[in-house]
Amino acid sequence: MTRDLLNPHQRLALAITLRQVERTLRSVLHDLVNEEQAILYRSKITLPEEKRPEVKQLVETALEQIAWLAQAFELPPEIIDNTAILRGPLALLRSDLHDAHAGKLRRFGDVDPDLEAELDPTIDTLIELLQEITLVAQS
């Protein structure tokens, strides 16, 4: 049995490395076929169209190799709980939003007197929404 060739620490180290490779490869696959059209950014791979099928095939072959290794060495899958992103990063983003209030923007130059009335209420709403998301995720 191939599993017996690794001690538990080696098995874990191999699994961690292959998970990182797999996540990156799956991200590449996703980005090859999906150009993300968000509100304030665009995410895409600028690889020429004629090269995409070759890259896709190579990525799929690499994923097949990872699958073989995972089975051969009985590497345990990890359950990745993305709930944590609803807590830690959102707290930091709330802090960043506080720094986007009109009064804080003075550090970048003079602020139009009407900016506070136009900007701050929506910034405050965003802060409240992020707080609500965090509270729901904690309950």
Side-chain angles (χ1 to χ4, degrees):
M1 180 183 295
T2 310
R3 178 184 201 277
D4 295 334
L5 298 175
L6 297 173
N7 69 38
H9 300 292
Q10 293 165 335
R11 181 172 292 101
L12 180 60
L14 180 60
I16 289 169
T17 298
L18 292 176
R19 266 186 223 119
Q20 292 171 321
V21 174
E22 180 185 5
R23 288 183 77 155
T24 299
L25 291 173
R26 291 195 183 280
S27 177
V28 168
L29 271 183
H30 177 268
D31 289 349
L32 278 173
V33 296
N34 298 300
E35 184 173 316
E36 191 169 354
Q37 297 288 328
I39 298 167
L40 290 174
Y41 70 91
R42 303 288 182 262
S43 177
K44 67 179 189 174
I45 289 181
T46 57
L47 191 65
E49 285 297 323
E50 64 272 8
K51 292 187 177 186
R52 289 172 185 252
E54 182 180 3
V55 171
K56 183 176 185 277
Q57 180 58 52
L58 290 167
V59 168
E60 289 171 348
T61 301
L63 289 170
E64 289 169 6
Q65 295 299 303
I66 291 171
W68 184 88
L69 288 167
Q71 183 177 16
F73 290 98
E74 297 180 22
L75 302 177
E78 179 184 32
I79 305 298
I80 299 171
D81 183 0
N82 289 326
T83 307
I85 203 167
L86 298 175
R87 293 187 284 272
L90 289 184
L92 292 173
L93 291 173
R94 287 194 314 269
S95 176
D96 290 344
L97 283 169
H98 280 289
D99 288 340
H101 281 109
K104 297 280 188 148
L105 293 176
R106 284 188 181 93
R107 66 184 182 259
F108 299 108
D110 293 337
V111 172
D112 187 293
D114 296 329
L115 182 62
E116 184 175 343
E118 287 292 319
L119 176 66
D120 287 6
T122 306
I123 294 293
D124 289 337
T125 299
L126 278 170
I127 292 168
E128 290 170 15
L129 287 167
L130 295 184
Q131 178 64 30
E132 286 182 46
I133 293 168
T134 302
L135 291 173
V136 169
Q138 289 174 342
S139 58

